Amino acid sequence: MLPTIGLVLVLTCTTIFNVFPTKADDLKTYIVHLSLPDGQDFSQAHEIEEWYNSFLSKVASLLNENPRMVYVYRHVITGFAAKMSVDQAKAIENLSGVAAVRPEGVYQLQTTRSSYFLGLRQDSGLWKDSNKGKGVIIGVIDSGITPGHPSFNDNGVPTPPSTWKGKCEVAGCNNKLIGIRNFVNGSSPIDKIGHGTHTSSTAAGNSVDNANVFGMANGTASGMAPLAHLAMYKVCYSTRCRSSDILAGMDAAIADGVNVMSISLGGGNLPFYEDSMAIAAFSAIQKGIFVSFAAGNGGPFNSSLSNEAPWMLTVGASTIDRRIRTSVLLGNKKIFDGESLYQPKGFDHKLRPLVYPGKDGDESAALCIEGSLDHFDVEGKVVVCDVGGISNPEKGQVVKDAGGAAMIIASYILCGRSIAAEAHVLPASFVGYKEGDGIKKYLNSTSSPVATILFSGTVSVTKTDPEVSYFSSRGPNFASPGILKPDIIGPGVDILAAWNESVDHQTETKAAFNVVCGTSMACPHLAGIAALIKSVHPEWSPAAIKSAIMTTASQVGRNRHAIMDERELPADLFAIGSGHVNPPKAHEPGLVFDIQPDDYIPYLCGLGYTPKHIQLIVKKKVNCSKTIPEAQLNYPSFAVSLKRGDSKTYTRTVTNVGVANSTYTIGDISVPPGVSINVEGLYGSQPQELSFTGLHQKLTFKVTFTRSHKDKGKDPYGQGHMTWISGKYTVRTPFSFKFE
C-alpha cells in the first residue's frame, strides 16, 4: 500500500505499519472491539489512535513478540485490527474496556439487457423521475475497478456533491468514477479478476453502445443508475476478502460520504454480533446509508443464506429473458437447446461422432478433468462432459487439447434447467439436466451416435422468466428465524457488464465486457435501483427504501404465472422473499414500513443477545428493559412460528408516502389451511381499513395469526400474504409460517 494512504485515512481508518518491530510469521490478524469510556469523545483522530495503541502496548512484552496495528476504525466499529500472537489476543481480551477479540474471517465474492427487462426506459418512469440517479453516490466494496473503461465515462454526469470527501489513489477518476481506494496490502486498486468492474458497471455504469462478447448480447449496456457517481473500495484479492480489509473499506466509504453501498460478499451463518459485515452495515444505516448484500450462492439448499440481518437488503438471483442460444442436434433429429457465448462463424455444423467418456463410470473422464481424456479417442468428435470438478471453459480446453471438435456440458440433476452462457474455446452447448439425460439416452441407443452444435445467437423469447436460479441461496433465516430472508430477487444470470480485460481476445479494445452469473450480479442491480429511489426521495431512510422495494415486488413471470424455480418447481418464499424487484413501481409504494436504527435494539434483545453483545452492533450502551419478538419488528414481511392451537398478534406501522387523503382496504389475504388471520386497524380506523388525512402520517394495524388445534397438516412450513390497496397503490406483505 502506498505510504501516503495512512496519512489520508487518518480520519477514517488509519493504516499504520511498523508501529513495533514484529515477527510477522508468528502473528495473525485479530479484530478488537472496545467499549467507549463514558463521557469520552475522541474528536481528534490522533486521540483515538493513541487510545487504541495503548491496548497493544500493554501486551507487547508477551513472548517477546510485538503486535502490529493494521487498521484504526472510526465508524464501522469502536476498535481496531492488529496482528498479534494467540497469547496476546487472549491477554487483550482480558483488559478493561475490551468487549471482544476475534480472529478475522475470510469472505468470498458471490460470483445489458437487465435494465430493459426490469422496465427501465429512456425518458419515462423511474429513470425520468430520478434523473437516472444524478447526485447519488454508490460505494462498491469489491475486487477493484478498471479506470478508463467506457462504462465509467462521465457523459452527462454532474460534479460530485459537496458532501463527497473521498479520493482516488490512481489515475482515471472523473465525475462518474469519483473514488478509487485500496485496502489489500501489497495490491493496487486496479481490478485483476473482473468482479468489481462488473458489479460497479451493473450498479451505475454509464451507457455504452455496441456492448457484446464474441458479438453476442449486442446492445447498449447500462447500469441501473447510469448517471449516479461511483466509488470503489478494493477489499478482495482474487476471490478472498479478509474481514479486517472489508471493515476498513466500509469505514472509509462511510467517512467519504457514499449514499448506497453494494457488497457482493458472503460468509457463513453467524450471530450478528460476531458478523463483521452485519456490524459494519448497521453503522452504515445509522448514517442513513442503504446497503445491498448478495444472498449467497449456496442454493438450492435451505438455510444457505449469507447476510441475514434485517437492516441489510438481502438479494437473491433470478434469470432474465435473454439466452445466448446454442443447440445440440442429434442423429435422430432431436434438438436440445443450451447456451454458449462462443459461436464461431467458421464452424461447419456437420454431424460428428458423439462420445461420453464417463459412460462406463470413469468419474474424472465424465467431468473432463485435465488428463482424463488421454486414453479416449475424441479426435474430431463431439464430447459430452458432466458439469462439476472444474469450470466449464476449462473442460473445453481439455477437450480441445485432446483433439475434440465440440463439447456438450450436461448439467447436474440438482441444477435442473439452470445453464449459463460462457466464453468457451471451442463450439459448445451447456444444456440442462433433462436435456443432458436425453442426449445420453440417445448415445446409448445406437452404435453410431452423432451430433453437432447449432448456433442461434442472442434470443429473447423466454416467457417463464424470471425464474429463481438454482444457485441462489435460500432461507429460512438461520441467524434470525423470525425475519423472512432473502428480501428480494433480481437479475443474476447471464448478466453482461464491464470486465477488466477482453475475454474474446480483442486486445486493442477498452470496451471489454463479460457475461457472468451469481448473486454478486443481482446485488448491484438492487443497489442501483435503491440509488434511483434515493434520488427521487432523498429524505427516505434505508428502511423506507427497502420497504418500497419489497412491497411493490412482483410474484409472477412474464407469462403471468407464479415465479418458478429453475428446477421446475414453484418458487417459495425462502427462494424469492417478497418477490422479484419491480422498479417501475418501487418509487411509488403508497405506504412504507419504516424502521429507525434504535428500533432494532429491542429486537436484538428479543434474540437473546446480551447488552454487551448488542453494544458491539449499535456502538453505545444499551439495556434490555424493552424486548420484542422478532416478528414484531416493523418489517415488510412476517415469519411466524405456530404450534397447534397457537394465536399470535403483531402490529405494523405504515407511513403514508402516496396521496394525502387516502383510504387503504384489504385487497386479498391468503393463509395456509388450518391457519386463520384477523387484521384490525388501530386508533380509530375501521376494521381492515386505514384512512389517512396527510402525507407522512403513520397508522398502526394489528394482525392475529391463529392455528387450529385440529390442524392435521404435516408440512413443516406454509406461506401466504396480504395486500392493502388504494387507487393505483398495492402494498403487499408476505407471510412465512413454521409449523411446530
Side-chain angles (χ1 to χ4, degrees):
M1 193 173 290
L2 297 173
T4 56
I5 295 175
L7 179 62
V8 176
L9 297 185
V10 74
L11 293 178
T12 58
C13 58
T14 307
T15 304
I16 305 170
F17 296 103
N18 298 322
V19 175
F20 302 104
T22 67
K23 292 172 62 178
D25 291 344
D26 299 327
L27 309 182
K28 296 181 179 179
T29 301
Y30 291 84
I31 296 171
V32 180
H33 297 260
L34 304 176
S35 299
L36 197 66
D38 290 337
Q40 181 68 59
D41 179 19
F42 294 106
S43 57
Q44 300 297 316
H46 70 87
E47 294 176 344
I48 197 165
E49 184 179 322
E50 291 170 358
W51 180 49
Y52 289 170
N53 271 310
S54 70
F55 290 90
L56 294 184
S57 64
K58 292 174 183 177
V59 300
S61 62
L62 290 179
L63 302 177
N64 295 316
E65 294 177 334
N66 293 321
R68 176 165 66 88
M69 188 75 77
V70 177
Y71 293 113
V72 169
Y73 302 118
R74 291 283 295 175
H75 300 280
V76 287
I77 66 170
T78 302
F80 57 88
K83 285 188 175 293
M84 64 184 85
S85 69
V86 173
D87 289 338
Q88 288 167 337
K90 291 178 180 178
I92 281 188
E93 194 165 24
N94 291 325
L95 294 177
S96 176
V98 176
V101 178
R102 298 196 177 95
E104 71 170 353
V106 176
Y107 291 78
Q108 299 290 328
L109 296 169
Q110 300 296 314
T111 221
T112 46
R113 181 175 167 81
S114 55
S115 58
Y116 187 89
F117 178 69
L118 291 173
L120 296 171
R121 300 290 188 272
Q122 297 284 354
D123 303 320
S124 67
L126 182 52
W127 262 1
K128 179 181 178 181
D129 293 346
S130 66
N131 288 316
K132 297 184 177 180
K134 277 186 179 180
V136 179
I137 303 168
I138 302 176
V140 182
I141 314 296
D142 214 293
S143 67
I145 201 164
T146 306
H149 192 287
S151 290
F152 308 128
N153 78 77
D154 62 357
N155 294 336
V157 184
T159 57
S162 60
T163 54
W164 175 243
K165 307 299 181 186
K167 62 164 291 187
C168 291
E169 297 175 2
V170 295
C173 280
N174 54 24
N175 287 338
K176 160 61 70 177
L177 183 55
I178 61 174
I180 310 175
R181 304 183 69 167
N182 174 53
F183 297 91
V184 179
N185 189 23
S187 183
S188 82
I190 305 302
D191 189 6
K192 300 298 184 182
I193 62 172
H195 191 278
T197 301
H198 199 281
T199 55
S200 296
S201 64
T202 300
N206 214 332
S207 297
V208 180
D209 293 333
N210 299 314
N212 66 84
V213 182
F214 292 113
M216 299 296 120
N218 189 56
T220 299
S222 172
M224 298 299 100
L227 298 185
H229 306 287
L230 265 174
M232 168 55 65
Y233 300 85
K234 181 174 180 176
V235 301
C236 301
Y237 181 78
S238 185
T239 60
R240 293 169 61 83
C241 320
R242 298 188 180 278
S243 57
S244 61
D245 298 333
I246 297 169
L247 287 175
M250 296 179 70
D251 200 79
I254 292 171
D256 288 348
V258 305
N259 307 115
V260 174
M261 287 192 206
S262 179
I263 306 178
S264 293
L265 313 176
N269 302 114
L270 293 170
F272 301 143
Y273 58 84
E274 293 183 3
D275 186 335
S276 295
M277 290 202 294
I279 294 170
F282 194 90
S283 300
I285 64 110
Q286 285 178 312
K287 302 285 187 178
I289 300 168
F290 183 94
V291 191
S292 178
F293 278 91
N297 295 340
F301 304 106
N302 284 350
S303 294
S304 55
L305 291 164
S306 298
N307 306 314
E308 299 173 310
W311 48 87
M312 303 168 161
L313 182 74
T314 307
V315 186
S318 62
T319 61
I320 61 174
D321 63 340
R322 179 183 62 205
R323 299 291 184 272
I324 315 300
R325 177 69 50 78
T326 58
S327 302
V328 179
L329 171 63
L330 301 178
N332 61 4
K333 307 300 183 183
K334 288 187 177 180
I335 296 177
F336 295 99
D337 292 333
E339 284 199 277
S340 173
L341 282 173
Y342 181 61
Q343 301 185 20
K345 294 180 180 179
F347 187 63
D348 58 22
H349 306 292
K350 71 178 183 180
L351 290 169
R352 291 173 166 84
L354 177 66
V355 295
Y356 175 42
K359 182 178 179 180
D360 295 324
D362 186 331
E363 184 175 344
S364 294
L367 299 174
C368 297
I369 291 173
E370 185 175 0
S372 66
L373 304 185
D374 292 348
H375 304 295
F376 291 89
D377 177 16
V378 300
E379 184 75 31
K381 299 177 181 179
V382 179
V383 182
V384 178
C385 303
D386 290 335
V387 73
I390 57 176
S391 73
N392 290 342
E394 287 175 313
K395 295 177 192 291
Q397 189 64 57
V398 172
V399 172
K400 184 177 181 180
D401 291 344
M407 175 178 67
I408 300 166
I409 307 113
S411 195
Y412 179 52
I413 186 171
L414 197 63
C415 307
R417 59 186 176 211
S418 180
I419 55 177
E422 297 167 301
H424 290 289
V425 296
L426 80 173
S429 190
F430 183 9
V431 300
Y433 171 73
K434 284 186 177 180
E435 290 78 6
D437 189 54
I439 292 167
K440 291 173 184 175
K441 285 179 178 177
Y442 159 73
L443 193 148
N444 291 326
S445 70
T446 176
S447 60
S448 302
V450 291
T452 191
I453 308 296
L454 306 178
F455 302 152
S456 302
T458 306
V459 297
S460 302
V461 296
T462 305
K463 298 296 184 183
T464 58
D465 293 300
E467 295 181 340
V468 181
S469 169
Y470 90 94
F471 60 74
S472 186
S473 290
R474 269 63 166 180
N477 190 330
F478 185 83
S480 181
I483 299 294
L484 177 62
K485 290 283 183 170
D487 294 305
I488 199 81
I489 58 173
V493 176
D494 286 354
I495 304 303
L496 185 144
W499 202 246
N500 65 311
E501 61 184 7
S502 173
V503 298
D504 49 9
H505 314 299
Q506 296 184 26
T507 56
E508 296 181 0
T509 182
K510 289 186 177 180
F513 292 89
N514 200 3
V515 173
V516 187
C517 301
T519 53
S520 278
M521 285 63 251
C523 169
H525 277 90
L526 271 296
I529 291 164
L532 297 177
I533 299 171
K534 183 75 173 177
S535 183
V536 179
H537 302 289
E539 76 284 2
W540 281 11
S541 70
I545 295 173
K546 178 177 177 178
S547 172
I549 290 171
M550 292 172 63
T551 60
T552 59
S554 173
Q555 296 77 42
V556 297
R558 294 200 306 147
N559 58 7
R560 308 310 301 168
H561 295 152
I563 292 175
M564 297 290 289
D565 188 297
E566 277 191 314
R567 296 172 296 160
E568 301 185 62
L569 301 169
D572 62 18
L573 294 185
F574 296 143
I576 68 171
S578 292
H580 192 273
V581 63
N582 189 6
K585 293 186 176 181
H587 68 306
E588 295 184 309
L591 305 175
V592 293
F593 297 76
D594 207 358
I595 307 174
Q596 298 304 312
D598 282 356
D599 296 339
Y600 292 103
I601 294 174
Y603 154 80
L604 292 168
C605 292
L607 285 177
Y609 293 178
T610 67
K612 182 179 179 181
H613 290 152
I614 298 169
Q615 183 179 334
L616 294 175
I617 300 169
V618 305
K619 289 171 290 299
K620 63 181 180 181
K621 293 188 182 299
V622 301
N623 64 63
C624 284
S625 57
K626 180 182 179 182
T627 298
I628 62 171
E630 297 163 87
Q632 180 57 32
L633 186 68
N634 201 45
Y635 213 66
S637 59
F638 287 89
V640 181
S641 177
L642 292 174
K643 298 177 181 178
R644 289 182 179 85
D646 271 357
S647 183
K648 295 184 178 180
T649 300
Y650 305 100
T651 61
R652 288 292 187 268
T653 298
V654 288
T655 304
N656 182 22
V657 295
V659 177
N661 292 295
S662 55
T663 297
Y664 286 78
T665 56
I666 297 293
D668 66 293
I669 292 181
S670 171
V671 291
V675 176
S676 62
I677 181 174
N678 184 52
V679 182
E680 297 181 44
L682 300 180
Y683 312 121
S685 294
Q686 296 296 317
Q688 298 197 358
E689 183 177 286
L690 298 172
S691 294
F692 295 92
T693 57
L695 284 176
H696 312 301
Q697 180 184 355
K698 297 178 184 293
L699 289 178
T700 300
F701 63 94
K702 68 178 181 179
V703 182
T704 300
F705 301 102
T706 302
R707 185 182 180 192
S708 170
H709 68 278
K710 297 180 180 180
D711 179 27
K712 297 181 180 180
K714 296 182 179 180
D715 290 337
Y717 294 100
Q719 60 186 46
H721 68 273
M722 64 175 288
T723 57
W724 291 103
I725 295 179
S726 178
K728 68 177 182 179
Y729 301 114
T730 298
V731 185
R732 187 180 189 275
T733 305
F735 311 141
S736 171
F737 299 98
K738 180 181 180 182
F739 298 129
E740 298 181 335

